[in-house]
Amino acid sequence: MKAALLCGLLAVAEGTFTTHRGGGRPYDNSKPPSKRPTKYDFMTKTPYWSSKSLSDVDQEGPVEEGEEGLQCQAVHLQHVGRHGSRYDDNDDVTDLQELLASKGSAIKNPRYAFLKSWTNPFPTNVEKHLNEVGKEELYKMGMRYRHRYGGNILADQYNPIYHTFQHTWKSRTSRSASAFALSAMQEGRGQLGRDNNEPVAMFCLWNGMEDYDGDKTIRFADNCPNFDAITDADNFPGKVQEDAFEKKIEEEVVPRVAKKLQLDSSVWELDFDGVELLYKACVFETVIYETPAATSPCAVFEEKDYEMFAFLKDLGEYYEGGHGTQIAQEIACPLMSKLLNGVKRYSEDDNEVQAAFMFGHSDTIQPLLAQLGLYVDPVPLTADMPWEKAMERKWRTGVISPMAANIDIVLHRCEDADGKGSWKTELLHNERRIRWPRCGADGTNVLFCTPEDLLIAYPMATDCQFDEFCKIPQ
């Protein structure tokens, strides 16, 4: 009880603010997401409505509509989602504003004179909070789920026994869960207010919850000391590769931007840190306000610059949350265990929950994708790999782990032409049906997988040694 209360207080304290209080440009949502394409890959900061247009390649191959001769109905859903788009770190935009105020006089190209007076366009008291784009992402996603599953899984009146919502203690996950639930389960389902809303229970997980073994299911990295020790080490492969590629950006992007600005180097010796600040401001202005590139920090960048920053970020994510290191592939086993065993128990009439919704972070989604065996590159990502190979990588976080990214496991009750019943599961990533990569008699990709075969394909779900591999070796 104390843990739940404290978690609620933390979420409320972090989330208490007024949208435009403290400054900030008003958000215009007059354009629907489908009409707001973002051209470039903004790594894990890519908005959800843009991520699907970044790659023309169906990375997991074409998928059939179903198995011939089977009639199936979705009856159970396990959903893992990331929070929606958020605001940047206050320090980044403050540092850029101060940098341009002190060094902006070095800009001699009149085309970019507007940067000399650039000021922070974001509200000052919303650091890393869910922004207006993020609210819209989750609200409209909830509408799609209600439409998709309204005839079965979400057909009934909301009941906290049958429909569960969990989130981490960060306000951006709490508010994402609330925005999703509002359209998926609340509106028109109750008797409150003009919209006949139904209150939905939200359960917050935080690291100090002893009764629930901490937050190992959604924010597992925070509960794994050995993970911190490995990733914080100076020789951690992610750091080594990022440092190496950062030098390439210094050698290629920094001079290009300095030349474009016609900088007086005696006033401003542009370096990687300065260019990175310009890039971050570019990303968030584009995502939140869709500021035209010509009048934002984006004006100084070319297409390859965006790709180089995206690859820099993906290198770190690949080793810290993907296929680059063993512990990154293992660390999601508490979550995998909860998902697969929840599906299995429902098929055995040992689980009343029809839909379980969990809202976490990018470091929830990526390790789960890795443990599922998805988006495996043929060779490890490295700073010195041929550029054309880097551009073909499957571990592209702007596509696989954008804002509001999600993974669904859907259990179906099926019957064949003779009336014989069976259970089948399907896998969806960012609302797109994909193949199970490790299920099937010969381990090949299949569309439907039985709950029993899932536990065979992913043995860590039944033998998760989280506490063991998270201990720091003596």
Side-chain angles (χ1 to χ4, degrees):
M1 180 66 182
K2 290 181 179 179
L5 176 61
L6 178 56
C7 185
L9 290 174
L10 287 169
V12 170
E14 187 186 300
T16 302
F17 64 91
T18 304
T19 303
H20 303 302
R21 182 180 172 185
R25 190 185 309 160
Y27 167 75
D28 179 10
N29 66 352
S30 59
K31 297 179 183 178
S34 60
K35 302 298 183 183
R36 300 198 222 113
T38 296
K39 182 178 180 181
Y40 302 112
D41 179 354
F42 289 150
M43 319 90 65
T44 57
K45 306 303 182 289
T46 303
Y48 187 70
W49 41 262
S50 173
S51 63
K52 295 181 181 180
S53 66
L54 289 173
S55 175
D56 296 327
V57 180
D58 185 348
Q59 298 193 52
E60 297 307 317
V63 173
E64 299 84 359
E65 285 302 312
E67 289 187 349
E68 186 176 356
L70 282 181
Q71 294 294 323
C72 300
Q73 180 181 24
V75 295
H76 177 75
L77 169 67
Q78 294 278 346
H79 173 90
V80 180
R82 185 189 177 196
H83 61 78
S85 293
R86 65 167 176 82
Y87 287 103
D88 193 11
D89 188 318
N90 281 344
D91 290 341
D92 290 336
V93 289
T94 300
D95 289 348
L96 178 60
Q97 183 170 315
E98 292 176 353
L99 179 64
L100 290 172
S102 62
K103 304 290 186 181
S105 61
I107 300 174
K108 301 305 179 183
N109 189 334
R111 179 180 174 185
Y112 305 104
F114 69 90
L115 288 174
K116 298 179 183 181
S117 56
W118 184 89
T119 56
N120 176 14
F122 311 113
T124 56
N125 60 338
V126 292
E127 180 177 18
K128 295 186 177 182
H129 290 298
L130 193 71
N131 60 39
E132 300 300 321
V133 174
K135 298 173 193 177
E136 185 181 14
E137 288 168 336
L138 271 299
Y139 179 79
K140 291 190 173 181
M141 184 184 296
M143 293 175 64
R144 292 192 298 274
Y145 274 67
R146 185 166 178 167
H147 175 76
R148 187 178 305 140
Y149 300 113
N152 38 64
I153 297 173
L154 301 182
D156 296 334
Q157 183 77 9
Y158 166 75
N159 187 317
I161 296 175
Y162 303 138
H163 311 104
T164 63
F165 288 83
Q166 295 180 321
H167 58 82
T168 70
W169 67 273
K170 295 290 187 179
S171 73
R172 56 186 179 271
T173 62
S174 171
R175 301 184 82 205
S176 293
S178 296
F180 179 95
L182 178 61
S183 56
M185 296 297 300
Q186 290 180 262
E187 292 180 329
R189 295 286 183 94
Q191 299 179 1
L192 295 179
R194 290 180 299 177
D195 296 327
N196 294 322
N197 290 327
E198 176 68 21
V200 171
M202 297 285 170
F203 188 77
C204 173
L205 298 175
W206 74 293
N207 295 340
M209 297 179 67
E210 295 180 2
D211 292 344
Y212 291 88
D213 208 16
D215 186 3
K216 295 178 182 177
T217 54
I218 307 180
R219 207 168 169 88
F220 23 79
D222 288 353
N223 290 275
C224 188
N226 194 34
F227 178 82
D228 288 340
I230 291 172
T231 55
D232 289 344
D234 291 338
N235 63 347
F236 176 61
K239 286 185 179 180
V240 173
Q241 297 301 326
E242 278 190 290
D243 288 347
F245 197 76
E246 186 177 306
K247 292 179 181 178
K248 291 191 175 186
I249 291 180
E250 285 185 335
E251 295 169 356
E252 187 171 336
V253 179
V254 171
R256 185 157 55 229
V257 172
K259 182 178 180 181
K260 186 176 288 189
L261 294 174
Q262 297 176 10
L263 285 182
D264 180 351
S265 59
S266 66
V267 177
W268 187 2
E269 189 69 42
L270 188 64
D271 57 10
F272 172 83
D273 291 339
V275 169
E276 186 180 37
L277 288 175
L278 287 166
Y279 174 75
K280 288 181 177 180
C282 159
V283 168
F284 283 94
E285 276 207 59
T286 301
V287 170
I288 300 173
Y289 300 123
E290 293 196 68
T291 306
T295 58
S296 81
C298 296
V300 305
F301 296 112
E302 298 179 4
E303 185 169 351
K304 188 176 180 182
D305 302 336
Y306 293 104
E307 289 291 353
M308 292 185 75
F309 270 108
F311 185 59
L312 174 68
K313 176 70 172 179
D314 288 353
L315 276 173
E317 299 287 345
Y318 174 78
Y319 287 95
E320 189 165 335
H323 298 288
T325 52
Q326 183 66 28
I327 196 168
Q329 297 178 63
E330 297 174 340
I331 199 169
C333 70
L335 176 56
M336 180 74 90
S337 178
K338 182 173 183 176
L339 296 174
L340 300 193
N341 283 295
V343 168
K344 182 69 164 57
R345 287 176 53 216
Y346 190 91
S347 70
E348 297 171 341
D349 291 328
D350 189 32
N351 182 5
E352 294 181 291
V353 175
Q354 295 174 344
F357 297 99
M358 291 173 279
F359 293 84
H361 305 264
S362 181
D363 54 13
T364 306
I365 296 292
Q366 291 189 58
L368 182 57
L369 290 173
Q371 191 159 111
L372 284 166
L374 294 167
Y375 309 107
V376 181
D377 285 284
V379 296
L381 303 187
T382 59
D384 60 356
M385 69 189 308
W387 184 241
E388 61 273 14
K389 295 297 183 183
M391 289 291 288
E392 295 171 356
R393 68 190 181 279
K394 291 187 175 183
W395 199 262
R396 185 180 280 270
T397 60
V399 175
I400 67 175
S401 187
M403 295 294 188
N406 51 85
I407 299 167
D408 287 338
I409 299 176
V410 185
L411 178 66
H412 295 262
R413 183 184 288 114
C414 302
E415 285 188 0
D416 62 17
D418 297 326
K420 182 180 180 181
S422 61
W423 296 97
K424 302 287 185 179
T425 65
E426 67 173 343
L427 177 64
L428 292 90
H429 178 213
N430 293 341
E431 300 179 73
R432 178 171 59 88
R433 185 188 295 174
I434 59 176
R435 296 175 182 275
W436 286 104
R438 294 177 181 169
C439 193
D442 56 357
T444 57
N445 293 3
V446 296
L447 177 60
F448 289 111
C449 188
T450 68
E452 294 79 12
D453 285 343
L454 276 184
L455 294 177
I456 295 173
Y458 299 100
M460 291 190 76
T462 54
D463 186 27
C464 177
Q465 301 295 320
F466 185 88
D467 292 333
E468 291 301 314
F469 64 69
C470 282
K471 291 180 180 176
I472 298 177
Q474 299 298 320

